[in-house]
Amino acid sequence: MIREQVRIETRTLQWKCVESRADSKTLSYGRFILSPLLKGQADTIGIAMRRALLGEIEGTCITRAKSVKIPHEYSTIVGIQESVHEILMNLKEIVLRSNLYGTCEAAICVRGPGYITAKDIIAPPYVKIIDNTQQIASLTEPIELGIGLQIERNRGYFIKTSNNVQDGSYPIDAIFMPIRNVNHSIHSYGTGNEKHEILFLEIWTNGSLTPKEALQEASRNLIDLFIPFLQTEEENLHFEDNQHMRPLRPSILPDQLVKIRKKKKIALKSIFIDQLDLPPRVYNCLKRYNISTLLDLLNNSQEDLMKMEHFHREDLKQILDILQKHFGLDLPKN
């Protein structure tokens, strides 16, 4: 656990983590301060951050399970202590972390007797299981059990309905939100015209990301939502006229805005590579070499990227296409 004393800085607006701890593998806590703020600003920021933390951060969940041994959701299987419904509820509780876009497949293939836990899930390398000890089922007889799983990264929550059954597979209620709870409080100090505020933010996560990571991701998402207001009306109309040409993820900056700001170093530094729709393998390869932002990427030549382990020429071509299409930029050659 990390805990620091709160010191008030009266000159420069800054944030600080004053307490951080991991209560368990699936519960992390962090407390942050932002100061000094003028009267009323703390409440404005606190409300916006709470909404962004709870509603805008993506998480990874198991959303569907399939097995030839499952006749229907409320059945029981000889040799398995739990009912099918209980197994689905246990799968719902598995905490995952990934750089996945969309969905991917995973599986459980075991033979009893014994306990099935999260460590028995065979998942792609870009999907990490936070707590391998989370129990799924108990096999009481020497039977084989195979379960196909669908893993999805999204935001908000997904509620299964009766018409979601597909090919004998069963949907699972998914709470994608990695944030368990958020509180904000305000401390005022000073008198008269010198009155200021300190914003305290408390964040609990499910362990798939740290409270600090959650705070930074929520901040980036808020910035992305407000960026369109920086456009002039003429640029906005031109952007709307061309919307039918290609779909845009909400986190991708509009082309016209990027052209306005691309000469500013801070703009390139605030665009992260997870906003570029890269395949998980390419994304992970760049992250291993400490390439996190668009500015980091542009500081490398094409030859530099080709020297990276497990990086292919097709990957380079895909990156070049994305840079040219969305930003009108190119990577230099040596």
Side-chain angles (χ1 to χ4, degrees):
M1 183 178 73
I2 300 173
R3 180 175 293 177
E4 296 186 14
Q5 290 184 346
V6 178
R7 296 178 181 177
I8 300 172
E9 172 61 57
T10 58
R11 297 179 181 178
T12 307
L13 183 65
Q14 61 180 0
W15 73 277
K16 190 174 186 180
C17 176
V18 293
E19 186 176 353
S20 177
R21 67 173 186 264
D23 295 330
S24 67
K25 288 184 178 180
T26 57
L27 182 61
S28 297
Y29 169 81
R31 189 159 68 108
F32 308 87
I33 63 169
L34 180 66
S35 69
L37 295 164
L38 299 178
K39 184 178 180 181
Q41 289 181 339
D43 205 32
T44 300
I45 298 173
I47 292 173
M49 286 303 301
R50 186 176 190 277
R51 294 294 297 270
L53 284 162
L54 292 174
E56 297 297 327
I57 297 183
E58 293 184 343
T60 305
C61 290
I62 298 172
T63 56
R64 191 171 288 274
K66 181 179 181 179
S67 175
V68 294
K69 293 182 177 292
I70 300 178
H72 59 81
E73 181 179 344
Y74 297 99
S75 62
T76 57
I77 302 175
V78 176
I80 301 180
Q81 183 173 319
E82 292 82 2
S83 67
V84 174
H85 180 72
E86 289 174 324
I87 294 174
L88 294 177
M89 290 301 98
N90 290 337
L91 289 171
K92 174 184 174 180
E93 299 299 322
I94 303 296
V95 180
L96 304 172
R97 175 184 176 124
S98 78
N99 298 316
L100 172 71
Y101 287 110
T103 62
C104 72
E105 303 297 324
I108 299 174
C109 300
V110 294
R111 180 178 178 81
Y115 295 103
I116 304 176
T117 61
K119 69 179 175 59
D120 295 309
I121 297 176
I122 305 170
Y126 49 83
V127 177
K128 178 183 178 183
I129 300 170
I130 301 301
D131 185 2
N132 285 324
T133 65
Q134 288 183 278
Q135 188 168 344
I136 299 173
S138 304
L139 302 185
T140 57
E141 297 182 13
I143 63 171
E144 291 185 356
L145 179 64
I147 302 176
L149 303 174
Q150 177 180 283
I151 296 175
E152 182 178 347
R153 179 181 172 91
N154 212 321
R155 66 186 183 93
Y157 55 88
F158 167 80
I159 303 298
K160 65 180 181 180
T161 57
S162 57
N163 59 0
N164 277 338
V165 178
Q166 300 174 0
D167 302 327
S169 64
Y170 298 90
I172 299 173
D173 291 337
I175 302 176
F176 294 104
M177 298 178 293
I179 308 301
R180 295 282 185 89
N181 193 19
V182 181
N183 285 335
H184 82 275
S185 57
I186 301 167
H187 172 72
S188 299
Y189 63 95
T191 57
N193 295 331
E194 297 297 323
K195 196 165 187 179
H196 291 84
E197 295 178 339
I198 303 175
L199 172 64
F200 287 84
L201 271 173
E202 293 181 288
I203 303 172
W204 290 262
T205 73
N206 65 359
S208 63
L209 75 172
T210 66
K212 182 180 178 181
E213 289 174 327
L215 183 64
Q216 293 175 335
E217 184 173 341
S219 301
R220 290 199 297 268
N221 290 341
L222 278 177
I223 291 171
D224 288 346
L225 290 173
F226 286 112
I227 274 177
F229 290 111
L230 298 177
Q231 295 177 268
T232 64
E233 290 184 276
E234 292 78 9
E235 290 162 351
N236 198 47
L237 288 172
H238 175 74
F239 176 67
E240 289 179 356
D241 291 340
N242 291 279
Q243 283 241 328
H244 66 280
M245 295 175 63
R246 60 182 176 85
L248 281 177
R249 286 168 52 87
S251 61
I252 295 178
L253 303 180
D255 291 348
Q256 294 298 318
L257 181 60
V258 171
K259 290 178 181 178
I260 294 171
R261 301 182 64 198
K262 69 180 180 182
K263 292 183 180 179
K264 298 182 180 180
K265 202 171 185 180
I266 190 172
L268 300 178
K269 200 172 182 179
S270 65
I271 302 172
F272 293 80
I273 62 171
D274 56 1
Q275 297 171 269
L276 303 182
D277 269 342
L278 296 170
R281 185 180 60 79
V282 179
Y283 171 85
N284 291 333
C285 188
L286 294 175
K287 290 290 286 184
R288 278 198 301 271
Y289 286 84
N290 297 320
I291 299 175
S292 300
T293 67
L294 186 57
L295 182 61
D296 296 335
L297 182 59
L298 294 174
N299 283 336
N300 289 271
S301 67
Q302 297 182 25
E303 286 77 8
D304 292 334
L305 296 186
M306 289 304 300
K307 292 177 182 177
M308 295 192 303
E309 189 178 4
H310 305 308
F311 194 88
H312 305 141
R313 185 159 295 279
E314 294 78 13
D315 304 332
L316 176 62
K317 184 178 184 302
Q318 188 168 14
I319 289 176
L320 294 176
D321 290 342
I322 291 174
L323 291 176
Q324 185 61 44
K325 183 177 181 181
H326 295 311
F327 307 101
L329 300 173
D330 201 357
L331 286 179
K333 296 183 178 180
N334 282 346

